[in-house]
């Protein structure tokens, strides 16, 4: 008997009975979209939003983090975040490299939770209809973008060698703790805390750890802090656009299936981002008399970060509420509160990651505790009868759980990030030297982003002309002097 074209063929070794091709295809697509947020999204955004002399270094910090996180993730990180329970907030580390493990059916979390009787399952293991390899890669892209978002706090002055040491240590001792606690079967997961797609694990963690790192690394040069214009606003917008569109995979892939929640989460994500951008821009016009393009990008980010912890468990009208608050509260904390706070001004958070991600992620987590819709919660959450305080009953308890989870993430990231940086400081200076900070990319990498006029060439008497080098013939404290035309090119 012939089998119709397109029908399931159980005898194919690459298509086991549990595999759903649609879920598998969407999960790999979602992972690719999230990966594109970092590569090339944040690479382009970082290279463009900083001063010209820091374009290469900023892009490289993101590039290096993406590669280093992947290797650490498959060697030990994934199983520390989603493996068998070691502690209430940490799993047993192990490689995720074996063929049998990666081609087998996905399992998450690996730690099943039982009621007090020890036999009745309260939070069962979830087994999606795709291979473990898809889950390993999907969550790698989450870990990578968290690391790169954190980098935004220390751009333009962190010693690149210290950054290279910091990335694997922070992944292992910070990120995996939050991921296991909230997603991988840890105590917050089984307690019923909602972090649908990373408001706490990613944005709150990146913002708090970034702010902590900025404190310990120290500030940029005074001249850079006072004036730090983007070197290419249009490319900055291109990077921001990749970040926005990639967020569809970020929140759309979180249900681990191409189910009814995935498109709702995508729609909510875009609604919140658009609303927040418009509110932020309106506030800029009202208070400063003109719309800021950088401000619009920041508003977009806060809208995306705020809706993330609840994108798949709130209704579309709630996404508008989240967008309104995401475009106003972080705006106030950045534009008004920051200028009034001596402490906030002392810490040089280069791209204001604390405001755009920590404040927005915390806000989103708390709003999720209020607005989580019961039916949607029953579709995607492991703990039954979960609902936000807005829906009455015992929903208020969820709001309290959201507060406790936020305090745990904040406390752990402050302490762990501090200890990691103090340990690195024993061997490697955390901050570049003032001489390197004055010059920028050429001093750190021997490369520059743009070859303008005589940049990129150096006079060699033996060759009777200029040849490849990014070092100009003369330097001053205010800029490079182009020997060919005598034009000062500001740093």
């Amino acid at each position: 008997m012939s089998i119709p074209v397109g029908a399931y063929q159980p005898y194919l070794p690459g298509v086991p009975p549990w595999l759903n091709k649609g879920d598998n295809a969407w999960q790999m697509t979602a992972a690719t979209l999230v990966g594109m947020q970092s590569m090339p999204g944040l690479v382009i955004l970082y290279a463009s939003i900083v001063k010209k002399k820091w374009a290469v270094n900023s892009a490289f910090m993101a590039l290096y983090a993406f590669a280093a996180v992947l290797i650490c993730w498959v060697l030990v990180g994934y199983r520390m975040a989603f493996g068998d329970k070691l502690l209430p907030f940490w799993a047993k580390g192990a490689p995720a490299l074996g063929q049998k493990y990666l081609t087998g059916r996905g399992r998450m979390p690996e730690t099943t939770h039982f009621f007090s009787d020890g036999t009745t399952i309260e939070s069962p293991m979830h087994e999606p209809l795709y291979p473990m390899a898809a889950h390993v890669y999907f969550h790698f892209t989450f870990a990578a973008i968290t690391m790169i978002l954190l980098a935004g706090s220390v751009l333009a002055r962190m010693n690149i060698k210290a950054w290279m040491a910091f990335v694997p240590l922070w992944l292992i001792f910070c990120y995996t703790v939050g991921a296991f606690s909230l997603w991988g079967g840890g105590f917050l997961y089984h307690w019923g805390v909602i972090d649908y797609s990373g408001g706490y694990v990613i944005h709150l963690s990146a913002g708090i750890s970034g702010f902590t790192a900025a404190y310990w690394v120290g500030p940029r040069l005074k001249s850079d802090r006072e004036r730090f214009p983007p070197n290419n606003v249009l490319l900055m917008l291109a990077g921001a656009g990749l970040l926005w569109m990639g967020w569809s995979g970020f929140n759309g892939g979180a249900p681990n299936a191409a189910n009814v929640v995935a498109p709702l989460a995508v729609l909510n994500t875009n609604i919140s981002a658009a609303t927040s951008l418009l509110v932020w821009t309106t506030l800029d016009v009202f208070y400063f008399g003109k719309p800021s393009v950088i401000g619009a990008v920041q508003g977009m980010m806060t809208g995306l970060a705020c809706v993330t912890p609840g994108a798949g468990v709130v209704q579309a009208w709630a996404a508008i509420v989240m967008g309104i608050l995401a475009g106003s509260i972080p705006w106030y904390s950045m534009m008004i509160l920051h200028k009034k706070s001596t402490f906030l001004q002392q810490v040089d958070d280069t791209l204001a990651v604390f405001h755009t991600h920590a404040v927005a992620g915390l806000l989103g987590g708390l709003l999720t505790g209020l607005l989580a819709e019961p039916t949607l919660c029953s579709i995607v959450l492991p703990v039954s009868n979960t609902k936000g305080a807005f829906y009455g009953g015992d929903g208020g308890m969820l709001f309290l759980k959201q507060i406790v989870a936020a305090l745990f993430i904040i406390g752990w990231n402050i302490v762990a990030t501090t200890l990691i940086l103090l340990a690195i400081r024993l061997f490697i200076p955390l901050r570049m030297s003032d001489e390197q900070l004055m010059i920028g990319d050429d001093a750190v990498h021997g490369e520059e982003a743009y070859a303008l006029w005589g940049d990129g060439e150096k006079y060699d008497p033996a060759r009777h002309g200029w040849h490849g080098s990014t070092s100009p013939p003369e330097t001053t404290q205010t800029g490079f002097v182009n020997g060919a035309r005598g034009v000062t090119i500001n740093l």
Side-chain angles (χ1 to χ4, degrees), residues 383-403:
V383 177
S384 59
N385 300 319
T386 301
K387 59 183 175 180
F390 179 83
Y391 293 91
D394 57 355
M397 187 61 189
L398 174 62
F399 184 73
L400 294 177
K401 291 178 180 179
Q402 298 295 110
I403 294 175

Side-chain angles (χ1 to χ4, degrees), residues 446-467:
E447 300 163 317
E448 288 185 330
Y450 307 105
L452 303 174
W453 299 104
D455 288 2
E457 297 181 342
K458 183 177 180 181
Y459 186 77
D460 184 351
R463 300 186 185 180
H464 304 289
W466 300 86
H467 67 90

